[in-house]
Amino acid sequence: MKIIISGSLGNIGKPLTVQLVKSGHDVTVISSNADRKSAIEELGAKAAIGSVSDSDFLSKIFAGADALFAMTPPNMGGVNIVKNTTDAGSAFANAIQTANIKRVVMLSSIGADLPTGNGPIAGLHNIEKIYEKLDASITFLRAGYFYLNFLNDIPMIKGAGIMGANFPASNRIPLVHPEDIANAAAEELQKTTEGKNIRYIISDVKTPSEIVKAFGTVIGKPELPWVEFTDEQYFGGMTQAGVPEEMAGLYTEMGTGLRNETIAADFLNTDKNATGKIKLEDFAKEFASKF
């Protein structure tokens, strides 16, 4: 199969590329960074350098492809983030239609069933709605909260001896590792399915109290606490750390959605199966290596 991968050689794109090349597929990886060209080619794939917001560029790259892994960048600039994400999705959709690609796997998220109240995930909701109108077999791969996000808490642990966010220690959080996403994407890209389908990819479901216990144990801080911040404290902490206000506002809104469990509700109520292989205890070792 001729398969296109967007997302460059990131935490998902690289293991996905390796798997598909090893399986004998003709793989092209899209990257906006020309410096990635040699690294992509070293993996046995072709490199396509350009913008995922450029529909004409995408149409040329998609021509003749059998399948596409569609991933929009998580932060499309510091302003108009949801609109920019949605616009990138529209560019993908136009190119998919022009190239007549019949199999698409879109990286989405828990909470993408919601039009609002989910922070930056609203852009993925919009893209799902755009893709639903395409004449193609599409799997919406809804991923959990990335384990890797917790690496951003390392300075807080070292500086203040705490972890925290604007949701409580008792909330159930569906978690995922990028390698499990890559495995699921590889499976879906090689399937022959019809219509529009939703697949949740979750590695584990844990509460923040369980998360801090796992991390604290491996870094020698067994009493590491989870602190629930107010929305104002959470927003202020991010902006003081240099996060643009719009982005900080969206992350605060996402935290609120996790707090009231609306973001996780569709998965928790309808699926509940953590099918990924990398559990919290496995990631804790990775966390310790970065600490």
Side-chain angles (χ1 to χ4, degrees):
M1 293 173 65
K2 181 179 179 181
I3 301 176
I4 310 297
I5 298 174
S6 58
S8 192
L9 293 183
N11 293 312
I12 300 169
K14 185 173 182 178
L16 178 57
T17 299
V18 170
Q19 282 195 54
L20 294 175
V21 169
K22 186 176 181 180
S23 296
H25 297 291
D26 178 355
V27 180
T28 297
V29 178
I30 298 173
S31 177
S32 61
N33 186 352
D35 292 339
R36 290 281 186 149
K37 185 175 185 295
S38 59
I40 292 168
E41 291 173 346
E42 286 172 5
L43 295 179
K46 301 183 182 76
I49 308 301
S51 171
V52 295
S53 297
D54 184 342
S55 184
D56 290 337
F57 161 74
L58 293 175
S59 296
K60 292 175 183 176
I61 301 305
F62 292 177
D66 299 299
L68 163 70
F69 177 66
M71 174 181 171
T72 54
N75 296 318
M76 298 289 289
V79 296
N80 299 320
I81 295 169
V82 171
K83 181 182 183 301
N84 292 344
T85 302
T86 304
D87 288 347
S90 293
F92 267 94
N94 290 335
I96 290 167
Q97 194 167 33
T98 299
N100 197 30
I101 296 180
K102 293 302 184 183
R103 181 74 182 121
V104 178
V105 178
M106 174 203 162
L107 180 62
S108 190
S109 171
I110 55 169
D113 55 302
L114 306 173
T116 58
N118 50 4
I121 301 170
L124 297 175
H125 169 86
N126 295 341
I127 295 173
E128 284 197 13
K129 294 302 179 185
I130 293 169
Y131 282 18
E132 283 177 0
K133 300 174 183 177
L134 294 173
D135 181 21
S137 166
I138 300 177
T139 294
F140 300 111
L141 195 60
R142 290 184 180 171
Y145 187 86
F146 279 35
Y147 284 128
L148 298 183
N149 290 337
F150 292 116
L151 297 178
N152 296 326
D153 289 345
I154 288 177
M156 187 192 308
I157 298 172
K158 291 184 174 181
I162 62 171
M163 284 183 67
N166 62 333
F167 46 88
S170 58
N171 271 69
R172 295 171 297 170
I173 311 294
L175 305 165
V176 73
H177 195 283
E179 290 185 15
D180 282 331
I181 297 175
N183 290 338
E187 290 176 9
E188 292 295 332
L189 286 165
Q190 296 173 89
K191 282 182 180 178
T192 301
T193 61
E194 299 295 332
K196 311 298 188 288
N197 303 283
I198 294 170
R199 174 178 174 178
Y200 281 97
I201 177 62
I202 308 295
S203 301
D204 213 344
V205 179
K206 295 292 183 181
T207 64
S209 62
E210 293 171 315
I211 292 165
V212 291
K213 181 178 180 181
F215 293 167
T217 299
V218 296
I219 63 174
K221 298 180 182 292
E223 303 304 319
L224 181 68
W226 178 269
V227 176
E228 181 184 358
F229 303 124
T230 66
D231 290 346
E232 293 76 17
Q233 289 171 332
Y234 195 53
F235 176 84
M238 282 188 282
T239 54
Q240 289 174 18
V243 177
E245 285 195 6
E246 181 181 331
M247 193 177 297
L250 289 172
Y251 285 149
T252 300
E253 184 181 88
M254 184 172 70
T256 302
L258 289 169
R259 181 173 71 227
N260 58 34
E261 291 200 347
T262 54
I263 285 178
D266 189 64
F267 167 73
L268 294 173
N269 294 334
T270 64
D271 193 306
K272 298 183 180 178
N273 292 313
T275 57
K277 296 180 180 179
I278 301 176
K279 304 304 177 183
L280 175 62
E281 292 73 17
D282 302 315
F283 177 71
K285 298 172 185 176
E286 186 177 338
F287 184 89
S289 72
K290 305 290 185 181
F291 188 74

